[in-house]
């Protein structure tokens, strides 16, 4: 006889990094990765048209936050480990089409915690997101945290990258 499970939140978390919260609000665009781009990271334009990269040396336009893809080649996309082919799981490979939320809500893991309504900053070189306005971090105008979270926990972010923003490092 089957056993009914009535505790639906017993095993599932609230979301995954890079998971879109509400598709009715999402404007998802694509670009081609010029570097490995992990899920739920700030994505900016690269030197070549239609390519994207993480915030790094030089200048580029903020394109959005990379979206988690549910399936992919070479291993589990949940572990963050390298697969046997050398591709980092939990990320888009070089030359792969990257989906990024340009406008909408997406779940991210915040480095320094998050306060609802606080501005979002991108960390140079990694694209990780934080609420810390420390030297070197890049403000993402129009992008705010919609939930409160402790450091290393998931937070919901409202993205509005349709604001023309040049990120210089």
């Amino acid at each position: 006889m089957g056993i009914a499970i009535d505790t639906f939140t017993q095993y599932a978390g609230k979301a995954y990094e890079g998971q879109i919260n509400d598709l009715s609000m999402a404007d998802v665009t694509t670009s081609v990765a010029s570097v490995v781009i992990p899920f739920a990271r700030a994505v900016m334009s690269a030197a070549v048209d239609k390519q994207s990269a993480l915030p790094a040396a030089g200048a580029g336009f903020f394109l959005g936050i990379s979206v988690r893809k549910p399936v992919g080649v070479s291993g589990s996309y949940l572990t963050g480990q390298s697969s046997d082919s050398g591709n980092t799981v939990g990320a888009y490979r070089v030359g792969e089409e990257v989906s990024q939320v340009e406008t909408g809500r997406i779940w991210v893991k915040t480095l320094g915690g998050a306060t609802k309504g606080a501005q979002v900053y991108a960390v140079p070189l990694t694209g990780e997101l934080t609420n810390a306005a420390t030297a070197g971090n890049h403000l993402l105008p129009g992008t705010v945290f919609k939930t409160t979270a402790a450091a290393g926990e998931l937070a919901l972010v409202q993205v509005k990258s349709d604001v023309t923003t040049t990120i210089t490092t």
Side-chain angles (χ1 to χ4, degrees):
M1 181 164 130
I3 299 172
I5 298 173
D6 60 359
T7 309
F8 297 104
T9 60
Q10 182 175 0
Y11 300 108
K14 61 179 148 188
Y16 292 105
E17 277 189 278
Q19 179 179 334
I20 297 172
N21 186 61
D22 183 357
L23 284 174
S24 69
M25 297 176 59
D27 182 11
V28 180
T29 58
T30 58
S31 58
V32 177
S34 63
V35 297
V36 173
I37 299 177
F39 302 149
R41 300 296 191 270
V43 177
M44 61 186 286
S45 59
V48 178
D49 285 345
K50 300 183 182 179
Q51 285 193 353
S52 56
L54 296 170
F61 292 100
F62 175 54
L63 300 176
I65 297 176
S66 57
V67 175
R68 173 182 211 83
K69 62 181 176 180
V71 294
V73 181
S74 302
S76 167
Y77 278 77
L78 300 177
T79 63
Q81 304 289 324
S82 290
S83 70
D84 56 357
S85 66
N87 294 327
T88 302
V89 295
Y92 292 98
R93 298 174 304 219
V94 174
E96 191 172 7
E97 186 177 275
V98 177
S99 296
Q100 61 255 343
V101 171
E102 186 175 295
T103 302
R105 293 182 179 185
I106 187 167
W107 290 94
V108 302
K109 190 177 285 186
T110 177
L111 284 180
T115 304
K116 185 176 182 176
Q119 293 180 314
V120 178
Y121 294 83
V123 176
L125 304 177
T126 66
E128 293 172 289
L129 304 173
T130 182
N131 66 350
T134 55
N137 286 352
H138 308 294
L139 173 64
L140 304 178
T143 302
V144 297
F145 287 105
K146 299 302 284 182
T147 60
T148 299
E153 289 187 354
L154 291 173
L156 186 60
V157 169
Q158 173 72 46
V159 183
K160 290 185 181 176
S161 72
D162 52 354
V163 177
T164 304
T165 305
T166 300
I167 299 177
T168 57
T169 54

